[in-house]
Amino acid sequence: MIRSRLARWCGSAEKRIRGFANSMATPYGGTHEVGLREGVAAALDAYARRRGLLSAEGPDLDADRIAEGLTAVVSVKLERPEFVGATRGELGNAPVRACVAEAVREHLGTWSEENPEQAAAVVGRILRAEALD
């Protein structure tokens, strides 16, 4: 099992991402969950290229593969949350996406440099899964 304070990858192919906005569950996701996935993908892709696990001109890691086995919680506090639909189950604040992506990319980038063996194992798992397709 590979983990950080941010996220955890486990042996299962199932992804478990739970989102919250102002402590309210967002069962249909939203911009904060998109930002989380984008930040994770950017951090792992940058790490893989720095370590020579991916070539500079090669394609990016498959974002769907990155999320396989990922367990994460993303919770944001907003002055004025904007929800999509009447059920308030999906966050729609557009700026949240970039903010969360940047925070995740920075944190996971630092974590990967401090835990190179675990980061390489995560990237290796993704690359092996892509090779099987």
Side-chain angles (χ1 to χ4, degrees), residues 12 18 51 53 97 107 113 117 120:
S12 167
R18 301 294 181 255
R51 297 293 181 178
L53 303 171
R97 180 178 178 174
H107 174 75
E113 293 302 323
E117 290 178 13

PDB file of all heavy atoms in Angstrom, residues 12 18 51 53 97 107 113 117 120:
ATOM      1  N   SER A  12      -6.574  -2.550  -5.124  1.00  0.00           N
ATOM      2  CA  SER A  12      -7.818  -2.586  -5.879  1.00  0.00           C
ATOM      3  C   SER A  12      -7.746  -1.641  -7.076  1.00  0.00           C
ATOM      4  O   SER A  12      -7.077  -0.626  -7.045  1.00  0.00           O
ATOM      5  CB  SER A  12      -8.973  -2.150  -4.964  1.00  0.00           C
ATOM      6  OG  SER A  12     -10.129  -1.882  -5.708  1.00  0.00           O
ATOM      7  N   ARG A  18     -13.877  10.983  -2.496  1.00  0.00           N
ATOM      8  CA  ARG A  18     -15.021  11.596  -1.833  1.00  0.00           C
ATOM      9  C   ARG A  18     -14.777  13.092  -1.743  1.00  0.00           C
ATOM     10  O   ARG A  18     -13.696  13.534  -1.348  1.00  0.00           O
ATOM     11  CB  ARG A  18     -15.224  11.030  -0.424  1.00  0.00           C
ATOM     12  CG  ARG A  18     -15.457   9.528  -0.382  1.00  0.00           C
ATOM     13  CD  ARG A  18     -16.795   9.157  -1.046  1.00  0.00           C
ATOM     14  NE  ARG A  18     -17.007   7.721  -0.977  1.00  0.00           N
ATOM     15  CZ  ARG A  18     -16.872   6.894  -1.999  1.00  0.00           C
ATOM     16  NH1 ARG A  18     -16.522   7.351  -3.177  1.00  0.00           N
ATOM     17  NH2 ARG A  18     -17.092   5.608  -1.855  1.00  0.00           N
ATOM     18  N   ARG A  51      12.492  11.527 -13.412  1.00  0.00           N
ATOM     19  CA  ARG A  51      13.218  10.304 -13.054  1.00  0.00           C
ATOM     20  C   ARG A  51      13.508   9.409 -14.256  1.00  0.00           C
ATOM     21  O   ARG A  51      14.057   8.327 -14.102  1.00  0.00           O
ATOM     22  CB  ARG A  51      12.422   9.500 -12.020  1.00  0.00           C
ATOM     23  CG  ARG A  51      12.221  10.218 -10.725  1.00  0.00           C
ATOM     24  CD  ARG A  51      13.527  10.401 -10.015  1.00  0.00           C
ATOM     25  NE  ARG A  51      13.301  11.087  -8.746  1.00  0.00           N
ATOM     26  CZ  ARG A  51      14.236  11.347  -7.889  1.00  0.00           C
ATOM     27  NH1 ARG A  51      15.459  10.987  -8.128  1.00  0.00           N
ATOM     28  NH2 ARG A  51      13.946  11.986  -6.777  1.00  0.00           N
ATOM     29  N   LEU A  53      11.376   7.797 -16.081  1.00  0.00           N
ATOM     30  CA  LEU A  53      10.424   6.703 -16.219  1.00  0.00           C
ATOM     31  C   LEU A  53       9.534   6.902 -17.436  1.00  0.00           C
ATOM     32  O   LEU A  53       8.938   5.959 -17.943  1.00  0.00           O
ATOM     33  CB  LEU A  53       9.577   6.573 -14.950  1.00  0.00           C
ATOM     34  CG  LEU A  53      10.372   6.366 -13.657  1.00  0.00           C
ATOM     35  CD1 LEU A  53       9.468   6.477 -12.437  1.00  0.00           C
ATOM     36  CD2 LEU A  53      11.081   5.022 -13.686  1.00  0.00           C
ATOM     37  N   ARG A  97     -11.272  24.442  -9.309  1.00  0.00           N
ATOM     38  CA  ARG A  97     -10.559  23.404 -10.063  1.00  0.00           C
ATOM     39  C   ARG A  97      -9.055  23.693 -10.108  1.00  0.00           C
ATOM     40  O   ARG A  97      -8.243  22.847  -9.745  1.00  0.00           O
ATOM     41  CB  ARG A  97     -11.146  23.323 -11.469  1.00  0.00           C
ATOM     42  CG  ARG A  97     -10.507  22.310 -12.355  1.00  0.00           C
ATOM     43  CD  ARG A  97     -11.206  22.300 -13.704  1.00  0.00           C
ATOM     44  NE  ARG A  97     -10.587  21.369 -14.614  1.00  0.00           N
ATOM     45  CZ  ARG A  97     -11.058  21.093 -15.799  1.00  0.00           C
ATOM     46  NH1 ARG A  97     -12.187  21.655 -16.222  1.00  0.00           N
ATOM     47  NH2 ARG A  97     -10.440  20.248 -16.580  1.00  0.00           N
ATOM     48  N   HIS A 107       1.858  19.567  -3.313  1.00  0.00           N
ATOM     49  CA  HIS A 107       2.013  18.648  -2.190  1.00  0.00           C
ATOM     50  C   HIS A 107       2.518  17.285  -2.657  1.00  0.00           C
ATOM     51  O   HIS A 107       3.456  16.727  -2.084  1.00  0.00           O
ATOM     52  CB  HIS A 107       0.697  18.479  -1.433  1.00  0.00           C
ATOM     53  CG  HIS A 107       0.777  17.437  -0.361  1.00  0.00           C
ATOM     54  ND1 HIS A 107       1.420  17.655   0.834  1.00  0.00           N
ATOM     55  CD2 HIS A 107       0.342  16.157  -0.323  1.00  0.00           C
ATOM     56  CE1 HIS A 107       1.371  16.556   1.566  1.00  0.00           C
ATOM     57  NE2 HIS A 107       0.714  15.644   0.886  1.00  0.00           N
ATOM     58  N   GLU A 113       9.248  13.543  -4.120  1.00  0.00           N
ATOM     59  CA  GLU A 113      10.689  13.753  -3.976  1.00  0.00           C
ATOM     60  C   GLU A 113      11.195  13.239  -2.625  1.00  0.00           C
ATOM     61  O   GLU A 113      12.319  12.753  -2.527  1.00  0.00           O
ATOM     62  CB  GLU A 113      11.036  15.236  -4.147  1.00  0.00           C
ATOM     63  CG  GLU A 113      10.803  15.752  -5.559  1.00  0.00           C
ATOM     64  CD  GLU A 113      11.592  14.997  -6.628  1.00  0.00           C
ATOM     65  OE1 GLU A 113      12.753  14.596  -6.373  1.00  0.00           O
ATOM     66  OE2 GLU A 113      11.033  14.807  -7.724  1.00  0.00           O
ATOM     67  N   GLU A 117      10.980   5.939  -3.545  1.00  0.00           N
ATOM     68  CA  GLU A 117      10.659   4.526  -3.781  1.00  0.00           C
ATOM     69  C   GLU A 117       9.151   4.321  -3.893  1.00  0.00           C
ATOM     70  O   GLU A 117       8.675   3.597  -4.770  1.00  0.00           O
ATOM     71  CB  GLU A 117      11.238   3.651  -2.671  1.00  0.00           C
ATOM     72  CG  GLU A 117      12.744   3.560  -2.720  1.00  0.00           C
ATOM     73  CD  GLU A 117      13.313   2.730  -1.583  1.00  0.00           C
ATOM     74  OE1 GLU A 117      12.547   2.020  -0.901  1.00  0.00           O
ATOM     75  OE2 GLU A 117      14.531   2.787  -1.384  1.00  0.00           O
ATOM     76  N   ALA A 120       7.946   5.938  -7.187  1.00  0.00           N
ATOM     77  CA  ALA A 120       8.298   5.086  -8.332  1.00  0.00           C
ATOM     78  C   ALA A 120       7.377   3.870  -8.396  1.00  0.00           C
ATOM     79  O   ALA A 120       7.009   3.423  -9.492  1.00  0.00           O
ATOM     80  CB  ALA A 120       9.759   4.660  -8.235  1.00  0.00           C
TER      81      ALA A 120
END
